Amino acid sequence: MESLKLGALEVWPPVVLAPMAGITNAPFRTLCREQGGGLFVCEMITTRALVERNAKTLKMIRFAPQEKPRSIQLYGVDPVTVGRAVHMIADEDLADHVDLNFGCPVPKVTRRGGGSALPYKRNLLRAILREAVRNAGTLPVTMKMRKGIDDDHLTYLDAGRIAVEEGVSAIALHGRTAIQHYGGTADWSAIARLKEAVPEIPVLGNGDIWSADDAMRMIAETGCDGVVVGRGCLGRPWLFADLAAACEGRDDRARPTLGEVAATMDRHATLLAEAFGNEQHAVADFRKHVGWYLKGFVVGADLRRALATSSTLAGLREGLAELDAAQPWPDGADTPRGKTNPRDRVHLPAGWLDDPYEMAVPCADAETDTSGG
């Protein structure tokens, strides 16, 4: 396999940690990065909040000293604001790479014309990409998107050609439509079609990668240049060690015992406490990870509940000490985690589907308190 080339950046192995709201903060990125190389993207932030120097947003894009390259994903709907945000990142040396989010399927984003709804407006997409690339200087600009809104409104091939024409360095495609949300099965054949349509730049595949073997199968079947891993690494930071081994042609895979998993859980919560500066907040934030870490292991309901309701590091460690440390890695543990249900419909602005070429910039409130990826 070859390194992933994004402008002047060279990434090995060609693996990207997908930005996930409330997940891919500095502590989680640290755990993943320690397992193997790649590109580790911070939580998605809005361009409006960045240019307004929102304190919470600026805190979210803090990187640890050892984090290289530094990667930021932006969500934006207005070409001018996106351009200002990218210029700020480049001018103030806030990151080494900028990714643009056109894949978020959550209703509060799509109903305002953002995320996975936006590529339907081809001219708006082009204007945003043009402003981003123009203001990026030497920083590579990439984009992440879905196949489209639904099977009747597919946009990924048009969006891919627009991206090439506007100087985007790479495209990541999640093989689902917005209406699928995270349900059903990712369509890897769409990734192959996009790769054929845009041979000029790297194409990364995303969707249903639960193990390193899944990643190698996706690359073999689609010809994509690398993979983007999201839900597959929830409670599984060592997946990046497996991915590095697989990319190097090695068969070894991390299969931690429950005791080793418990040690990782302890370290994760500790890193969160150091980053947040508030132990109670950190342990509360860690609760959502407990079920992901323990998936597949035999752990009693009472102990699971105690771990998922801990309020202090001491209480969490007390529960972790009760786990059967010698219990081996369970068979069949590399299975779906996180959200899985499809949606009945995609919430869109009134008249959004009337004209795919209308230059309709969503209103400013499209960037208020958004999350997703």
Side-chain angles (χ1 to χ4, degrees):
M1 292 186 63
E2 297 182 359
S3 299
L4 174 64
K5 294 181 174 60
L6 305 176
L9 290 181
E10 188 166 338
V11 178
W12 178 260
V15 173
V16 178
L17 167 64
M20 292 178 282
I23 304 293
T24 54
N25 46 37
F28 187 73
R29 295 197 306 271
T30 295
L31 290 176
C32 295
R33 184 183 295 275
E34 289 174 348
Q35 300 294 320
L39 187 65
F40 300 86
V41 189
C42 76
E43 298 174 79
M44 181 186 76
I45 63 170
T46 70
T47 55
R48 177 180 168 188
L50 181 62
V51 299
E52 292 177 354
R53 298 186 179 274
N54 175 275
K56 181 179 178 181
T57 296
L58 293 177
K59 188 174 181 179
M60 289 171 66
I61 61 171
R62 290 179 185 169
F63 294 92
Q66 71 273 18
E67 289 195 75
K68 290 287 183 177
R70 301 161 298 165
S71 180
I72 289 178
Q73 189 186 69
L74 297 176
Y75 162 80
V77 297
D78 176 64
V80 174
T81 306
V82 171
R84 290 175 60 196
V86 174
H87 180 82
M88 179 178 168
I89 292 170
D91 187 56
E92 300 180 22
D93 189 29
L94 300 179
D96 306 300
H97 161 247
V98 175
D99 186 52
L100 299 177
N101 182 299
F102 300 109
C104 182
V106 301
K108 66 180 178 181
V109 170
T110 60
R111 69 162 47 100
R112 293 165 174 167
S116 53
L118 196 144
Y120 185 76
K121 298 296 189 183
R122 275 71 165 176
N123 289 336
L124 175 59
L125 175 68
R126 184 183 295 279
I128 288 175
L129 296 178
R130 180 172 296 176
E131 286 300 304
V133 172
R134 186 175 70 84
N135 283 279
T138 60
L139 299 186
V141 174
T142 60
M143 63 182 283
K144 184 169 184 271
M145 63 181 181
R146 288 184 170 236
K147 290 170 55 181
I149 292 172
D150 53 35
D151 286 341
D152 294 326
H153 301 90
L154 299 177
T155 56
Y156 70 103
L157 294 178
D158 283 354
R161 289 311 311 168
I162 292 170
V164 169
E165 292 164 7
E166 297 304 329
V168 169
S169 295
I171 304 170
L173 176 64
H174 185 152
R176 286 182 171 87
T177 57
I179 198 169
Q180 285 182 274
H181 204 62
Y182 295 98
T185 302
D187 177 13
W188 290 2
S189 68
I191 299 168
R193 286 192 290 273
L194 180 63
K195 178 59 186 173
E196 292 174 356
V198 292
E200 302 95 328
I201 61 175
V203 170
L204 305 175
N206 178 223
D208 293 350
I209 296 177
W210 309 109
S211 69
D213 294 335
D214 290 336
M216 294 302 101
R217 185 164 56 87
M218 174 186 278
I219 292 170
E221 291 181 8
T222 69
C224 66
D225 302 283
V227 297
V228 178
V229 180
R231 295 173 300 147
C233 66
L234 296 176
R236 303 287 190 271
W238 47 85
L239 176 57
F240 289 92
D242 290 352
L243 290 164
C247 289
E248 293 168 3
R250 294 185 283 114
D251 294 329
D252 50 296
R253 300 290 184 267
R255 292 294 180 264
T257 64
L258 185 51
E260 292 168 328
V261 171
T264 301
M265 294 171 71
D266 187 342
R267 181 139 189 273
H268 191 168
T270 301
L271 288 172
L272 286 170
E274 293 172 355
F276 293 172
N278 183 310
E279 179 178 323
Q280 189 173 12
H281 178 199
V283 176
D285 185 80
F286 179 73
R287 291 172 184 167
K288 60 177 173 277
H289 295 273
V290 171
W292 297 326
Y293 274 113
L294 298 182
K295 184 170 178 125
F297 287 102
V298 178
V299 180
D302 289 343
L303 181 51
R304 283 180 181 268
R305 189 178 305 108
L307 288 167
T309 56
S310 299
S311 57
T312 65
L313 287 174
L316 177 66
R317 288 166 182 158
E318 182 178 338
L320 293 174
E322 294 184 36
L323 294 171
D324 176 11
Q327 188 177 150
W329 179 258
D331 293 333
D334 297 327
T335 54
R337 291 176 294 285
K339 306 169 185 175
T340 57
N341 296 329
R343 299 300 172 96
D344 295 329
R345 66 188 181 95
V346 180
H347 296 264
L348 298 168
W352 190 253
L353 298 178
D354 292 348
D355 182 358
Y357 296 99
E358 177 188 16
M359 187 62 183
V361 178
C363 59
D365 69 356
E367 288 195 37
T368 56
D369 191 29
T370 58
S371 63

